[in-house]
């Protein structure tokens, strides 16, 4: 974790180093400029001296004097070489190497910005006669040495100042800031670990206003925390009471919901029983009437046989009556048996959660046969389209409950009373894609408004409560599809054109959670 002392030391050292570096750079460039100016002035002064001294010496061919002049000028460390030549050959020269000056008799070949040539003229009778040239090479070694010395001195100065500043800042921060802060931190840590009341803990005193403000702030925080704890404790108590009340209400609501769901299922089963009973009355009545007619004719036929007055026409008439009555009895008995068988299977499936294998298309037919009597008054045509044999392993009772609730929902909501029977259609389409089954239940009724679609699966939501709607039918459908069958359902609807419920679920229904946990 970072420390204030380290960061402050680094900041101040960086500031001082930057200031001193900028100051040193300014001093360096100023000194360099001044030395270069002095060197240029020295070069011009040297040119002037040589132009005034050398003409007479060269005119008189005084080699000794020329050597003295060159040796005298080479005393300046800024001169690297001097080469005196007449118009044809080199007369004399001096070269500085490794701090020593040596005579030379051949040109050095130096060139560049540090080397220049000055013409030596002999002035007589106001006419200039060139006697030769002086090639002068100036060196910057002395200037570079001085600049290096300045840089080294400035670096040493920066390092010394940084070290002194680091020591002074560390000591000052330690005494005035770090130590008081550490002591205050230890006291606060002890206060956090202590079981004492925070108001009883004494914090260290400090003469500086900033630390006094910090201590006062801690005291204000303690008071605020005490108030917050009191308010939070009261709120937690109220929340606990509210939670208990909510859990109780939720349990009661779940019990009421389960009771209503069971009531809805039993009401559907009761309606199914009433419809089947009414539907069975017709074939049973025909059977009873046919059996009664056959009985009466059989008694008369026996009496005529006993009296010996039987005629051929009477035998033929009796046989015709017996044949017709038997045919009516057999056909209506089969009709009643089919109704009873369909009702028995569907009713058992609806009241139990037995898992078995079944063929979807045939089972849909049984469902429609069972609920057919209850739909006579609605005059709705139900079409089942199942182009292939679809074998399922699951819960047929869930399928029965889903189809029954969706058809009842269409009867209650989809069609108005004034719609002709020929225009009331509900289509049930079943298809299989690999291991997935799609069940599509659609009607051509009035449709569902867009703002209602998002609520139709909510429990107890209905727009026909006054007409007997409980608001549980589609909620039961949603739970059966998503939980019992392990699938999903969505709705498409257009106002004035109809509604479609599209359900997709696996051909093999998932096992209940308890069974899955026992048989992983």
């Amino acid at each position: 974790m970072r420390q204030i002392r380290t960061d402050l030391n680094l900041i101040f050292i960086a500031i001082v180093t930057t200031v001193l570096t900028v100051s040193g750079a300014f001093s360096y460039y100023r000194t360099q400029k001044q030395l270069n100016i002095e060197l240029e002035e020295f070069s011009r002064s040297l040119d002037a001296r040589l132009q005034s001294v050398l003409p007479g010496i060269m005119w008189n061919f005084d080699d000794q004097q020329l050597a003295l002049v060159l040796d005298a000028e080479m005393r300046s460390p800024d001169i690297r070489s001097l080469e005196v030549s007449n118009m044809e050959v080199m007369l004399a020269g001096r070269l500085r190497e490794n701090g020593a000056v040596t005579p030379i008799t051949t040109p050095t070949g130096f060139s560049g910005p540090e080397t220049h040539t000055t013409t030596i003229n002999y002035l007589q009778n106001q006419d200039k006669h060139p006697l030769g040239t002086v090639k002068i090479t100036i060196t910057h070694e002395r200037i570079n040495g001085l600049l290096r010395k300045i840089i080294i001195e400035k670096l040493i100065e920066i390092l010394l100042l940084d070290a002194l500043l680091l020591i002074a800042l560390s000591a000052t921060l330690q005494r005035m800031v770090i130590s008081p802060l550490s002591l205050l931190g230890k006291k606060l840590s002890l206060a956090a670990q202590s079981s004492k009341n925070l108001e009883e803990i004494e914090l260290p005193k400090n003469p500086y206003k900033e630390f006094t403000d910090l201590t006062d702030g801690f005291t204000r925080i303690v008071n605020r925390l005490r108030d917050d704890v009191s308010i939070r404790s009261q709120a937690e108590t109220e929340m606990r009471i509210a939670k208990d009340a909510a859990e109780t209400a939720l349990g009661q609501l779940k019990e009421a919901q389960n009771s209503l769901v069971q009531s809805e299922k039993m009401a559907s089963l009761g309606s199914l029983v009433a419809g089947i009973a009414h539907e069975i009355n017709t074939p049973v009545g025909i059977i009873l009437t046919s059996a009664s007619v056959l009985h009466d004719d059989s008694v008369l036929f026996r009496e005529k046989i006993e009296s010996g007055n039987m005629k051929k026409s009477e035998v033929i008439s009796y046989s015709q009556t017996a044949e017709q009555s038997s045919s009516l009895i057999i056909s209506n008995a089969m009709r009643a048996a089919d109704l009873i068988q369909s009702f028995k299977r569907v009713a058992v499936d609806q009241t139990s959660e037995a898992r078995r294998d079944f063929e979807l298309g045939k089972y849909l037919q049984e469902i429609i046969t069972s609920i057919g009597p209850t739909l006579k008054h609605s005059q709705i045509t139900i079409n089942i389209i199942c182009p292939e044999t679809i074998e399922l392993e699951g819960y047929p009772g869930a399928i029965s409950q889903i189809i029954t609730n969706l058809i009842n929902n269409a009867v209650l909501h989809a069609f108005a009373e004034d719609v002709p029977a020929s225009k009331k259609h509900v289509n049930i389409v079943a298809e299989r894609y690999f291991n997935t089954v799609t069940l599509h239940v659609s009607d051509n009724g009035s449709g569902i408004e867009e703002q209602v679609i998002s609520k139709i699966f909510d429990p107890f939501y209905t727009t026909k409560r006054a007409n007997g709607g409980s608001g549980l039918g589609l909620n039961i459908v949603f739970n059966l599809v998503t939980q019992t069958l392990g699938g999903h359902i969505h709705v498409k609807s257009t106002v004035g054109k109809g509604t479609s419920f599209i359900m997709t679920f696996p051909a093999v229904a998932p096992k209940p959670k308890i069974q899955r946990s026992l048989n992983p």
Side-chain angles (χ1 to χ4, degrees), residues 4 16 80 133 143 148 157 163 229 241 267 392 458:
I4 296 176
V16 171
R80 184 177 182 182
T133 60
I143 295 177
R148 282 194 298 271
E157 179 183 358
V229 168
I241 296 173
L392 299 182
D458 294 345

Side-chain angles (χ1 to χ4, degrees), residues 342-375:
S342 298
F343 165 74
K344 179 181 178 182
R345 182 171 295 179
V346 172
V348 170
D349 287 337
Q350 286 192 5
T351 55
S352 68
E353 296 183 355
R355 182 186 181 97
R356 64 183 176 86
D357 296 338
F358 61 98
E359 201 280 312
L360 182 58
K362 293 181 180 179
Y363 192 69
L364 291 175
Q365 292 289 353
E366 291 180 0
I367 295 171
I368 301 306
T369 300
S370 299
I371 66 175
T374 64
L375 300 176

